[in-house]
Amino acid sequence: MNFLGAGSYALSILILVVAGRTPEAMAADIRPFIPGTGSYRAIVIEGPIVSGDFDTFVRIVRENEGQVSGVFCFSPGGNFYEAMKIGRAMRKLELSSQAPMRDQAGHPSCSGDFGPKPYDQRNCTCASAGFFIHIGGIHRGGTFLAVHRPYFEKGALGQLSLLEAKSALARLQQSAQEYMTEMGVPAHVQDDLLGTASDRALVLDETTIKTYFWGDLPYIYEWTKDKCRVLSDAERERSENYSRRLAGVASASDADFSKTEWADLGALQKKQDTEHKCKLSIGQKRRADAYARYFGEKANDFASQNFDKWSEASKYLGKRFYDLLSEENFEQDAMGDMWPAPGLVDSILS
């Protein structure tokens, strides 16, 4: 393939030592990320993926009673089949996924103020089996993804005859291909991934990522956009024009807008806010429904709480919600309940 030719996509090739191959490799650190008191939560998957990580992942999702909305992938690779199980669970639970961003030098970056950071900066990547987890998300962010064909653990193929090894690798390749097709990975990306040796990696370029692995899945994006549409095409065009004009000034007060234009911009922003709230509401309901389908029961905020041991419980009994708000200083979760949009992540993580 001519990676730089018209109609193709560019991929950078580099030598990569894949984590999870060495005997001392340990299980991934799978942990909840709870930034505040609101309902937005995520799960961090850090390190090489090994057998048993799927069970840990599902347990944490269930313990958080429908509050988890996404996953942060900080993994250099590992067990391919375990990664597929996690990816399929993410898709069924309607969870989002965030990979590292790419810095100006083309390296993975986990800096910025948004979200958790890997404990070990060597895990600031989403590669190999990590890619198979990431593509399970219904909404994807991040611009550093490294891929190659799945492989067997060291010594496994060498114990087989050459013909047996050929058959085993073909079955493994087929499993990978079926999974990627299920997750909507284009055929040409699949071909290049499966054609890349296990001791090398293809680092997908940003154009490829933002075309095929960025934002909502196509059917979700188009359905939600149509269902929540408030702005007309003409209004949306005016809004985009105002945004371009504002982008060229130091502050809003410097914008050369007439009173009529300011009023129009305000009205358009209210409509955009209505669309945004509609999308959030739909996303919350779909995630709640997905949780109920997956676990066979609705999420319950109180299911895992033992209030018998809560010494302060009695003072809240019989009181109304607004009475409690007036008496206590409850914090509002600054993160809200939305998974960050790709453009937002791009600006604050890069």
Side-chain angles (χ1 to χ4, degrees):
M1 169 181 286
N2 177 9
F3 290 147
L4 301 180
S8 65
Y9 65 102
L11 294 170
S12 301
I13 303 179
L14 79 164
I15 301 297
L16 182 72
V17 178
V18 180
R21 294 184 178 187
T22 55
E24 65 272 15
M26 304 192 55
D29 178 8
I30 302 178
R31 59 186 185 270
F33 173 66
I34 308 174
T37 58
S39 56
Y40 162 78
R41 297 182 185 183
I43 291 179
V44 176
I45 300 178
E46 178 177 352
I49 308 303
V50 301
S51 180
D53 283 344
F54 165 76
D55 292 332
T56 301
F57 174 81
V58 171
R59 174 181 58 78
I60 293 175
V61 172
R62 189 161 197 171
E63 287 174 351
N64 281 271
E65 290 289 348
Q67 304 293 300
V68 171
S69 59
V71 171
F72 283 84
C73 175
F74 299 135
S75 176
N79 188 303
F80 160 73
Y81 286 108
E82 202 75 4
M84 283 202 308
K85 288 165 65 177
I86 294 174
R88 285 192 168 108
M90 289 170 59
R91 183 62 60 91
K92 291 178 180 177
L93 288 163
E94 304 228 2
L95 302 183
S96 301
S97 181
Q98 177 68 34
M101 300 300 292
R102 185 198 308 257
D103 65 20
Q104 293 183 344
H107 302 139
S109 172
C110 295
S111 61
D113 297 328
F114 169 78
K117 309 294 185 295
Y119 293 147
D120 186 340
Q121 282 300 308
R122 289 175 297 182
N123 291 323
C124 180
T125 185
C126 186
S128 186
F131 171 78
F132 282 84
I133 289 176
H134 181 66
I135 61 176
I138 63 164
H139 176 106
R140 282 85 62 105
T143 53
F144 187 91
L145 298 172
V147 301
H148 60 70
R149 63 174 169 245
Y151 58 89
F152 291 94
E153 292 184 3
K154 184 178 180 180
L157 280 182
Q159 297 176 15
L160 305 176
S161 70
L162 189 58
L163 288 178
E164 289 172 335
K166 177 183 177 182
S167 178
L169 185 59
R171 289 194 298 270
L172 185 63
Q173 297 272 72
Q174 182 178 357
S175 295
Q177 196 165 29
E178 290 173 352
Y179 175 76
M180 288 189 289
T181 299
E182 179 184 337
M183 295 300 158
V185 177
H188 63 283
V189 177
Q190 294 184 35
D191 290 342
D192 284 286
L193 181 151
L194 296 175
T196 302
S198 60
D199 58 353
R200 299 180 67 83
L202 297 175
V203 178
L204 302 184
D205 70 285
E206 290 194 51
T207 299
T208 299
I209 291 173
K210 290 188 176 181
T211 300
Y212 302 112
F213 309 109
W214 186 258
D216 290 335
L217 296 177
Y219 77 94
I220 293 176
Y221 175 84
E222 298 297 344
W223 177 79
T224 305
K225 183 181 72 170
D226 189 62
K227 197 170 185 66
C228 295
R229 185 187 300 272
V230 175
L231 290 170
S232 67
D233 291 341
E235 287 174 327
R236 199 172 302 278
E237 185 176 347
R238 291 207 310 276
S239 177
E240 292 173 354
N241 181 54
Y242 289 142
S243 296
R244 286 191 292 268
R245 291 169 63 183
L246 285 171
V249 299
S251 65
S253 60
D254 295 330
D256 185 22
F257 284 8
S258 67
K259 289 184 178 181
T260 301
E261 288 176 321
W262 278 119
D264 185 38
L265 176 60
L268 294 175
Q269 288 177 332
K270 288 182 180 180
K271 289 189 175 184
Q272 287 177 318
D273 186 54
T274 299
E275 289 184 344
H276 178 67
K277 289 178 179 178
C278 172
K279 292 175 183 177
L280 286 182
S281 177
I282 287 177
Q284 291 169 0
K285 184 179 186 307
R286 286 179 43 241
R287 195 164 60 246
D289 291 344
Y291 180 97
R293 287 193 301 269
Y294 193 86
F295 293 110
E297 61 184 25
K298 292 184 178 180
N300 183 348
D301 288 340
F302 307 106
S304 59
Q305 305 298 327
N306 186 352
F307 288 100
D308 291 336
K309 296 182 179 180
W310 185 26
S311 62
E312 296 295 306
S314 60
K315 78 176 187 178
Y316 294 101
L317 296 177
K319 292 191 175 183
R320 296 176 301 173
F321 174 70
Y322 290 104
D323 293 332
L324 296 179
L325 286 182
S326 65
E327 295 174 12
E328 301 287 350
N329 182 26
F330 293 107
E331 288 187 12
Q332 175 67 31
D333 179 14
M335 298 299 295
D337 186 48
M338 66 170 291
W339 188 256
L344 175 61
V345 175
D346 190 17
S347 62
I348 59 184
L349 280 188
S350 57

